Amino acid sequence: MTSSSSISTAAIAATAAAAVHAQDVDMDAVLRRRATATPDEVAMRFLRNGEDDVVDLTYRQLDQRAARLAHQLRQQLAPGARVLLVLEPGLNYVTALFAIFKAGATAVPSFPPVGTRAVSRFASICNDCGAELVIAEGSLRAAEERLNAALSAEGKVPAWLFAGADFFEALDARPEVAQGAPNADPDFPALLQYTSGSTGDPKGVILSAGNLISNSRVLDIRMGTAEKHVGFTWLPPYHDMGLMGALLLSVYSGFTLVMMTPAHFVQRPLRWLKGLSKYRVTSSVGPNFALDLCVDTITDEEVDGLDLSSLKLLFCGAEPVRQATLDRFAEKFGPAGFSSTAYVPCYGLAEATLFISGKADSNAVPHRILLDQASLAAGVIAPATLDAPATAIISCGTVATDHVMVIVDPETREPVPEGTVGEIWFKGASVAQGYLNKPEASDEVFRAHLAGDPQDGPYLRTGDLGFMMDDELYITGRIKDVIIFAGRNLYPQDIEAVAQACHPAIRTNGVAAFAVTRDDKEHLVVVAEILRSAKLNAEDLENVEDAIAAAITLSHGVAPHTVHLAPVSTIPLTTSGKVRRSACRDAFNAGALAVAKPRPTPAAAAEADTSTLLPQE
């Protein structure tokens, strides 16, 4: 339970933050204020090679860089135009983002269109948002014709601005420009954050200028103001946690953010921890998979060269946080000065801009509880016993300041008592405006009201399940079928479509993809029904398994942990013929799924039939 002292501290911090930032309507106003108040402080420090090739941007440099580019953008864009931003992570990305804000346009962050799936998703997003301009790396100029062909198949082809290193060097050489009037409308759609969802049905979350300010404010309060922070991020800036939880937060709060590309982290995770040590970082972000990667790849000798004692806040989110992972990381890096009190398990989603809840007491180890596994699976909270399997669940802390969270029965829409599992509903200034071009989905997700009280709302329906205990949130599962793997959201319908198409023996609508937890890790399972007419022998069935695994690995970069081949009618379906993935997962976990049996070859079958006529000894 949150102590009275921590509540008092949070209240004081909230009052101070509100007073300091009351004049800020959007992130451009924040940057202008920083450039005036602390022009020579380093805003962003980018490690170009992930290690010692360092380049800095002060607040004044960032503000003027962005202003020069905004001046150019205004000459070719109408107010409110949507600009797709596909630059690689780095200082140029930050410059372009704030230039879009200054130009009065709407930023649409997306990862670079490199690779077949990335191009397909890029085209879907571009078409959905009606982008008028794409700001891209100079290296993509050679692919312009191919990309335009993909775009023309989807819709209108936008203009391109290829902004490589030479472009920004020329930008820096231009004279300073007078900035236009700042935005005065907190409801202006500053950003479209596309969820990492199905490539065929992208969802653009409309985030207003006020949403960005609200989310930054509640994170700033949660960080506390006792000391000057230094941040570090390697998360991609087109991901909501990397963009809102690191980049925009650092400008809002006024601390230096050290940046590294995701590729440099994945290539050598030690670079992240060396950066934390070298720059005396106090705050960073690390999804569960990143902590596991560090433990698995960094040697004890390399740990000896680290000093992580400055790290006070390690935000853990973007995927389920595992107690076993936190324990392993703390044990491995405790000798380097890391303390478990630094962990800040948090919960959020793009529809809430980012942050919904997180650990409030920065001096405490995150709370956890042990629950009976079987009871929890049924939605009942019961303490663990010595003679039954238990599940450890980590608290995701208290709700964001000035926001409201309610645990609701998703069927009746009535609040449930504390300690009861239900759907997480959320309301407040950080809740987005809705989905672009999807009025029905927006009404369903963003306009919810509690049963019997139409005035209490609207709430955001998160689609996630959890319960409250002593004013803290515990996440238990997802209503949604999203599979989270290594910090990525994988949509089962996309995986199922790939598996369906890879072999003719698989029944139409006969594939189910879902995640299961084994040894505190999430694994992908694919169940595929084999047509009765296929008549496959044992070797043929193995070939089908191999084909499914290869196709999914190639298309999604994830190898299934298990490919389960089953006879027709094994996968549970709804009355309308849709796959019931959760029911299929339950049957798989219980070992109740039927297994496709090999059909003998005609010669073998004939031999077997003849043998039954022979005299028996």
Side-chain angles (χ1 to χ4, degrees):
M1 185 171 182
T2 305
S3 67
S4 59
S5 61
S6 63
I7 292 174
S8 176
T9 301
I12 294 171
T15 303
V20 171
H21 306 313
Q23 71 273 36
D24 296 332
V25 176
D26 67 355
M27 291 307 301
D28 176 36
V30 175
L31 177 57
R32 293 190 195 201
R33 174 168 53 78
R34 293 290 176 203
T36 299
T38 55
D40 298 323
E41 285 196 15
V42 175
M44 305 285 167
R45 172 166 290 151
F46 182 50
L47 310 183
R48 286 188 287 198
N49 64 351
E51 296 183 21
D52 54 4
D53 185 1
V54 180
V55 58
D56 290 343
L57 267 185
T58 66
Y59 285 109
R60 176 177 174 79
Q61 289 170 333
L62 175 56
D63 186 54
Q64 265 302 305
R65 254 185 149 216
R68 293 184 185 109
L69 180 52
H71 179 73
Q72 178 176 333
L73 296 180
R74 286 194 201 96
Q75 295 175 351
Q76 62 184 115
L77 295 174
R82 290 156 189 164
V83 180
L84 208 59
L85 180 56
V86 295
L87 293 175
E88 296 287 348
L91 301 183
N92 296 341
Y93 189 103
V94 180
T95 298
L97 177 66
F98 276 92
I100 296 169
F101 292 157
K102 287 178 177 292
T106 299
V108 188
S110 178
F111 50 80
V114 178
T116 302
R117 291 192 76 246
V119 169
S120 175
R121 179 171 172 78
F122 165 76
S124 295
I125 290 174
C126 198
N127 177 56
D128 186 65
C129 74
E132 294 188 20
L133 178 69
V134 180
I135 302 180
E137 294 291 336
S139 59
L140 284 176
R141 189 186 298 273
E144 181 180 3
E145 185 175 340
R146 178 174 61 87
L147 292 171
N148 280 341
L151 292 171
S152 63
E154 293 279 350
K156 185 181 74 171
V157 176
W160 289 80
L161 173 57
F162 294 103
D166 55 344
F167 174 87
F168 284 96
E169 288 174 3
L171 191 70
D172 289 336
R174 297 179 191 174
E176 292 191 5
V177 298
Q179 301 201 37
N183 175 46
D185 181 8
D187 294 326
F188 178 79
L191 193 141
L192 287 175
Q193 181 69 40
Y194 275 85
T195 60
S196 50
S198 170
T199 56
D201 186 30
K203 287 183 178 178
V205 180
I206 305 170
L207 297 175
S208 70
N211 290 147
L212 302 185
I213 292 294
S214 172
N215 185 81
S216 298
R217 174 176 172 266
V218 296
L219 278 170
D220 181 63
I221 293 169
R222 195 54 55 104
M223 290 181 69
T225 56
E227 62 181 299
K228 180 72 172 179
H229 284 285
V230 177
F232 194 111
T233 181
W234 51 263
L235 292 179
Y238 36 79
H239 184 282
D240 53 2
M241 195 170 185
L243 178 57
M244 264 71 73
L247 196 157
L248 295 184
L249 173 62
S250 70
V251 175
Y252 183 89
S253 298
F255 60 80
T256 297
L257 180 67
V258 184
M259 303 170 64
M260 183 175 73
T261 69
H264 282 136
F265 165 73
V266 173
Q267 290 165 2
R268 195 178 182 214
L270 178 63
R271 288 171 172 153
W272 176 35
L273 301 192
K274 287 181 71 174
L276 300 182
S277 180
K278 179 178 180 178
Y279 296 103
R280 309 306 298 151
V281 171
T282 64
S283 174
S284 191
V285 288
N288 199 88
F289 89 92
L291 306 186
D292 278 328
L293 199 58
C294 287
V295 173
D296 294 338
T297 62
I298 296 175
T299 67
D300 292 340
E301 291 74 19
E302 289 168 334
V303 173
D304 291 339
L306 299 173
D307 180 2
L308 304 179
S309 60
S310 66
L311 187 63
K312 305 303 180 187
L313 300 169
L314 179 54
F315 288 88
C316 307
E319 61 180 18
V321 181
R322 308 291 186 193
Q323 183 65 49
T325 296
L326 301 190
D327 292 343
R328 291 178 70 219
F329 188 88
E331 181 180 2
K332 178 90 172 187
F333 299 103
F338 177 80
S339 170
S340 292
T341 59
Y343 287 131
V344 184
C346 50
Y347 167 68
L349 63 164
E351 287 82 351
T353 307
L354 174 65
F355 185 79
I356 288 180
S357 71
K359 191 186 78 172
D361 188 348
S362 59
N363 296 315
V365 173
H367 295 160
R368 72 162 182 167
I369 54 178
L370 283 174
L371 299 177
D372 179 76
Q373 194 174 88
S375 299
L376 182 61
V380 178
I381 305 304
T385 59
L386 294 176
D387 58 348
T391 297
I393 302 184
I394 301 171
S395 165
C396 286
T398 58
V399 66
T401 303
D402 294 334
H403 289 68
V404 176
M405 180 166 57
V406 183
I407 308 300
V408 179
D409 184 314
E411 299 297 329
T412 66
R413 300 195 175 206
E414 294 179 347
V416 299
E418 182 177 270
T420 303
V421 174
E423 184 182 7
I424 302 163
W425 287 24
F426 182 69
K427 70 175 179 177
S430 290
V431 174
Q433 311 302 295
Y435 296 123
L436 182 69
N437 302 327
K438 298 187 185 303
E440 292 184 2
S442 295
D443 286 342
E444 179 182 353
V445 173
F446 292 92
R447 319 276 187 261
H449 291 268
L450 296 173
D453 191 355
Q455 303 304 315
D456 187 6
Y459 283 91
L460 165 68
R461 295 191 64 168
T462 68
D464 292 319
L465 296 171
F467 64 92
M468 296 293 292
M469 186 75 71
D470 294 331
D471 294 328
E472 296 195 10
L473 174 66
Y474 294 82
I475 307 295
T476 61
R478 295 184 295 274
I479 297 176
K480 304 172 185 176
D481 285 321
V482 178
I483 299 167
I484 300 179
F485 186 88
R488 299 164 53 206
N489 286 351
L490 305 177
Y491 273 64
Q493 58 266 35
D494 290 347
I495 296 172
E496 290 159 0
V498 169
Q500 178 72 66
C502 79
H503 201 286
I506 300 172
R507 185 181 72 83
T508 301
N509 198 32
V511 182
F514 49 84
V516 298
T517 301
R518 297 288 186 272
D519 298 324
D520 282 310
K521 291 186 178 180
E522 202 155 343
H523 298 291
L524 174 63
V525 174
V526 178
V527 179
E529 294 181 352
I530 301 300
L531 293 168
R532 293 188 181 94
S533 59
K535 296 182 173 61
L536 304 183
N537 60 31
E539 183 179 356
D540 293 332
L541 290 174
E542 290 181 3
N543 290 338
V544 174
E545 291 179 1
D546 291 344
I548 292 173
I552 293 171
T553 302
L554 180 63
S555 63
H556 287 78
V558 175
H561 180 270
T562 303
V563 175
H564 181 105
L565 302 185
V568 171
S569 300
T570 297
I571 296 174
L573 303 175
T574 67
T575 54
S576 58
K578 295 180 180 179
V579 173
R580 295 173 55 208
R581 299 183 185 94
S582 59
C584 192
R585 179 177 57 243
D586 292 343
F588 175 84
N589 285 332
L593 284 181
V595 178
K597 292 182 169 53
R599 304 282 290 275
T601 60
E607 182 178 343
D609 289 341
T610 302
S611 68
T612 62
L613 301 177
L614 295 177
Q616 303 297 310
E617 293 183 355

